[in-house]
Amino acid sequence: MSASRTLATNVVGTAALTDAMIPLLEKSAHGRIVNVSSVLASFASRGQTDWIYKDVAMPTYQASKAALNSLTLSYAKLLADKNIKVNAICPGLTATDATNHYGDRTPDQAAKIAITYALLEDDGPTGTFANEDSALSW
């Protein structure tokens, strides 16, 4: 995928869809936005010399997911008083067409974390980044 297409999909498309959905989410008693990010966007992890993905360099993909994380934090702040929770999740390396079926997770396994965050209780978190095991560092 080209750099501009990656950014258009992961950043511009997410912002446009979110903006379009806000009026509908405001009508919901339990609005939830779950952005699909990647641990590859974690600045904290990328700075660790013993990180499992330390040698991975996918500049545009990683930058687009870091920008997506920034959108997550901004929308979480903007929508907090409307009871709309906004979080970013990392589903893990999933075998799909996008990865040429490389990865140790099936789409069904990867979907579990997204579903968990889509069904958060009202006292659940907002403005977080997590995988199914724990919170992730930005």
Side-chain angles (χ1 to χ4, degrees), residues 47-61:
Q48 297 174 1
T49 57
D50 62 344
W51 187 43
I52 187 172
Y53 300 114
K54 70 181 180 333
D55 294 326
V56 174
M58 300 169 64
T60 306
Y61 177 79

Side-chain angles (χ1 to χ4, degrees), residues 114-129:
I115 292 167
T116 297
Y117 276 79
L119 298 175
L120 283 175
E121 297 292 331
D122 287 342
D123 62 349
T126 191
T128 65
F129 181 29

Side-chain angles (χ1 to χ4, degrees), residues 30 32-34 85 87-89 105 108-122 124-125 128 130-134:
H30 310 284
R32 304 292 182 261
I33 297 171
V34 182
K85 303 213 176 283
N87 293 287
I89 57 96
R105 299 176 60 75
D108 287 348
Q109 290 171 315
K112 288 180 182 176
I113 183 70
I115 292 167
T116 297
Y117 276 79
L119 298 175
L120 283 175
E121 297 292 331
D122 287 342
T128 65
N131 64 18
E132 64 186 16
D133 296 326
S134 64

Side-chain angles (χ1 to χ4, degrees), residues 67-134:
L68 177 69
N69 287 352
S70 182
L71 287 175
T72 299
L73 289 170
S74 294
Y75 281 116
K77 184 175 186 84
L78 289 171
L79 301 172
D81 64 336
K82 299 174 189 283
N83 197 32
I84 299 172
K85 303 213 176 283
V86 186
N87 293 287
I89 57 96
C90 175
L93 184 54
T94 305
T96 65
D97 290 347
T99 63
N100 292 318
H101 299 278
Y102 177 79
D104 57 356
R105 299 176 60 75
T106 67
D108 287 348
Q109 290 171 315
K112 288 180 182 176
I113 183 70
I115 292 167
T116 297
Y117 276 79
L119 298 175
L120 283 175
E121 297 292 331
D122 287 342
D123 62 349
T126 191
T128 65
F129 181 29
N131 64 18
E132 64 186 16
D133 296 326
S134 64

